[in-house]
Amino acid sequence: MSSTAISTIAFPSSIRAQKTHLSSTAAVVMAADKLRAQGVNVIDLGVGEPDFPTPEHIKNAARQALDENFTKYTASSGIMPLRKAICDYTNSNFGSDYAPEQCCVTVGGKQGIFAAVMALINPGDEVLLENPCWVSYPEIVNFAEGKNVLIDTEATDFHLTADLVKAAITPKSKLIIINSPSNPTGRVVDPAEYKKIVGICVERGLWVISDECYLQFVYPPFQVNSAAMLPPELRSRVMICGSLSKTYAMTGWRVGFALGPKDWVTEVLKIQSQSATMAASIAQKAALAALTGSQEPVQEMLAEYRRRAEWFIPALNEIPGVECGQPEGAFYAFPNLKGLMRNCGFATSKELADELLHKYGVVGTDGAAFGAEGYLRLSYANSMEALRESVIRIGQMVADASARRRPAI
Ligand SMILES: Cc1ncc(COP(=O)(O)O)c(C=O)c1O
């Protein structure tokens, strides 16, 4: 058979695969890589990961694991010392009483969320999501054949409120996913409001996933708020999906956890054991060192993100047509660019993001990918130098577009 014949065979993708899309944040990473390979000086504010290296004591624990040949399968739920450390960390910080059988170490936070949704959702079950939200939630819900019910938060400046949640609940509602601090908006749910939201959900028989991926990155006066702080009667229907990826600059290590009601965790474990098996043994040892070692690097990263945000957001707001609120947590600016789009003649935020990438070498993720047309997500987990240069380039794009639109004399 000739190679042409081989390439014409259409792959019979399953309906499930056809309905799944490549993560738009992953697509942006690939587009940036392609430009870099062509020699373009790319400023990457698209990728949502710390620009800091993994702290040395964590890397040392991994080196030691290798030297000790800790390179084989572990229990699918993760090694016991790590499960204990996750419980201890959570209980001592937030006054809860989780036990290791309520904890499954997962392959990053994403795998935990995926398995927790798969373990609960049947076809047609409604899942409440704030809109905008992280790109993977609706895709994961689709995968489980659930129905996404989007709660629009633009009118409340992207704050999720108990009233909004209450209005979205129907007899088919089964789950809500709450993400505070939020990717992409940087909003933090106030602890009292958080309790009210979960209270309403529990009263109406819903289950809750609390995605705490950015837990420690909160800028005072806003407060770190974990579902672990809730009273036991509310916590009994909440799965905390945690991650070491952002907190310890460990995105490539792929360690997260699901911490919650024992029966739900047991189902998560079954799903993980038949798919990823477990988080990598070496990464688990590194995660143990991260949770039990010095937390100083986390505070240093937080202080640095704060310093950057304090420069970056006002600088963005200086650009005509840009309105950007100050982030309360995480490390994303989420500017409203509707004015700029009008001024510069962009019909969609995707069009704007493409122009910014291909002509000016600045990578951002268009808001529509998160459900918010007219916005752009810019990660400031990048050097001040890169942030300064990005503002210059965005300003240049605006100036060029205005010049194009000025009638010739
Ligand atoms: C809101 C949110 N949740 C979960 C994750 C998953 O993180 P990981 O799988 O790297 O732990 C991310 C990563 O970007 C995220 O932004």
Side-chain angles (χ1 to χ4, degrees):
M1 203 187 274
S2 75
S3 61
T4 339
I6 290 169
S7 67
T8 55
I9 297 170
F11 180 72
S13 309
S14 66
I15 292 164
R16 186 162 275 137
Q18 286 174 38
K19 284 187 179 166
T20 304
H21 305 96
L22 184 70
S23 155
S24 34
T25 40
V28 168
V29 172
M30 288 196 285
D33 279 351
K34 204 165 152 195
L35 281 181
R36 248 184 236 110
Q38 291 162 9
V40 177
N41 170 7
V42 171
I43 306 224
D44 191 353
L45 309 187
V47 64
E49 69 177 345
D51 58 320
F52 301 101
T54 305
E56 209 53 36
H57 68 281
I58 300 175
K59 292 195 283 192
N60 282 339
R63 289 185 187 104
Q64 192 180 339
L66 270 175
D67 289 344
E68 291 172 356
N69 292 313
F70 193 75
T71 53
K72 305 285 171 65
Y73 292 130
T74 70
S76 266
S77 53
I79 54 174
M80 184 51 91
L82 179 54
R83 290 163 65 204
K84 276 197 176 128
I86 291 165
C87 294
D88 289 349
Y89 175 93
T90 308
N91 296 341
S92 62
N93 279 302
F94 304 114
S96 48
D97 56 0
Y98 289 106
E101 61 268 23
Q102 294 178 274
C103 176
C104 178
V105 177
T106 55
V107 185
K110 190 187 269 183
Q111 170 77 12
I113 297 164
F114 184 88
V117 171
M118 289 299 150
L120 180 71
I121 294 305
N122 288 316
D125 287 343
E126 291 182 358
V127 180
L128 273 52
L129 300 174
E130 20 184 337
N131 189 60
C133 66
W134 184 43
V135 292
S136 291
Y137 301 143
E139 290 284 332
I140 293 172
V141 172
N142 284 341
F143 212 85
E145 298 182 50
K147 185 171 171 236
N148 289 298
V149 174
L150 302 177
I151 302 175
D152 207 84
T153 57
E154 194 176 8
T156 52
D157 194 22
F158 302 127
H159 284 104
L160 186 67
T161 67
D163 285 344
L164 286 173
V165 171
K166 204 172 177 178
I169 295 177
T170 77
K172 287 189 175 165
S173 307
K174 185 119 177 234
L175 172 70
I176 183 169
I177 305 181
I178 307 174
N179 175 219
S180 173
S182 152
N183 172 12
T185 66
R187 289 287 171 257
V188 169
V189 183
D190 162 76
E193 195 68 22
Y194 193 94
K195 194 172 161 193
K196 245 166 106 178
I197 293 169
V198 177
I200 286 165
C201 290
V202 170
E203 195 186 296
R204 300 288 298 271
L206 274 73
W207 297 82
V208 179
I209 289 178
S210 180
D211 178 355
E212 302 189 358
C213 181
Y214 298 92
L215 176 75
Q216 291 295 348
F217 296 140
V218 176
Y219 309 112
F222 298 94
Q223 297 163 33
V224 172
N225 177 40
S226 168
M229 291 156 74
L230 293 168
E233 66 278 12
L234 297 187
R235 243 192 294 133
S236 64
R237 290 181 85 95
V238 180
M239 182 73 89
I240 295 176
C241 288
S243 169
L244 282 82
S245 292
K246 322 278 176 170
T247 315
Y248 299 102
M250 291 178 73
T251 45
W253 298 74
R254 313 306 305 135
V255 188
F257 55 89
L259 184 64
K262 190 167 165 288
D263 292 348
W264 197 355
V265 171
T266 304
E267 299 305 289
V268 164
L269 172 59
K270 277 187 347 200
I271 291 167
Q272 176 158 281
S273 76
Q274 296 296 1
S275 50
T277 301
M278 64 193 212
S281 58
I282 302 156
Q284 288 190 55
K285 286 282 191 172
L288 179 60
L291 286 167
T292 55
S294 166
Q295 300 300 302
E296 230 168 80
V298 182
Q299 291 313 312
E300 284 165 13
M301 285 188 263
L302 173 64
E304 183 56 24
Y305 292 143
R306 190 173 190 197
R307 190 177 79 87
R308 293 171 187 179
E310 278 168 6
W311 181 84
F312 189 45
I313 310 306
L316 286 173
N317 277 315
E318 295 266 304
I319 300 171
V322 176
E323 283 173 33
C324 188
Q326 204 66 29
E328 298 164 3
F331 42 64
Y332 303 106
F334 198 56
N336 177 336
L337 302 183
K338 290 176 190 171
L340 186 152
M341 286 164 62
R342 252 192 323 273
N343 298 344
C344 299
F346 293 113
T348 63
S349 47
K350 169 94 173 67
E351 215 176 84
L352 184 151
D354 284 349
E355 171 111 341
L356 199 53
L357 174 63
H358 294 288
K359 285 211 184 137
Y360 300 89
V362 177
V363 189
T365 313
D366 87 275
F370 303 94
E373 177 53 53
Y375 289 79
L376 189 69
R377 192 195 73 172
L378 299 169
S379 162
Y380 52 85
N382 215 316
S383 68
M384 281 299 286
E385 194 192 350
L387 296 177
R388 285 206 177 89
E389 179 61 25
S390 73
V391 169
I392 293 171
R393 292 189 192 184
I394 297 170
Q396 190 58 53
M397 180 184 77
V398 174
D400 292 349
S402 310
R404 272 200 307 273
R405 290 166 71 82
R406 218 170 287 136
I409 304 170

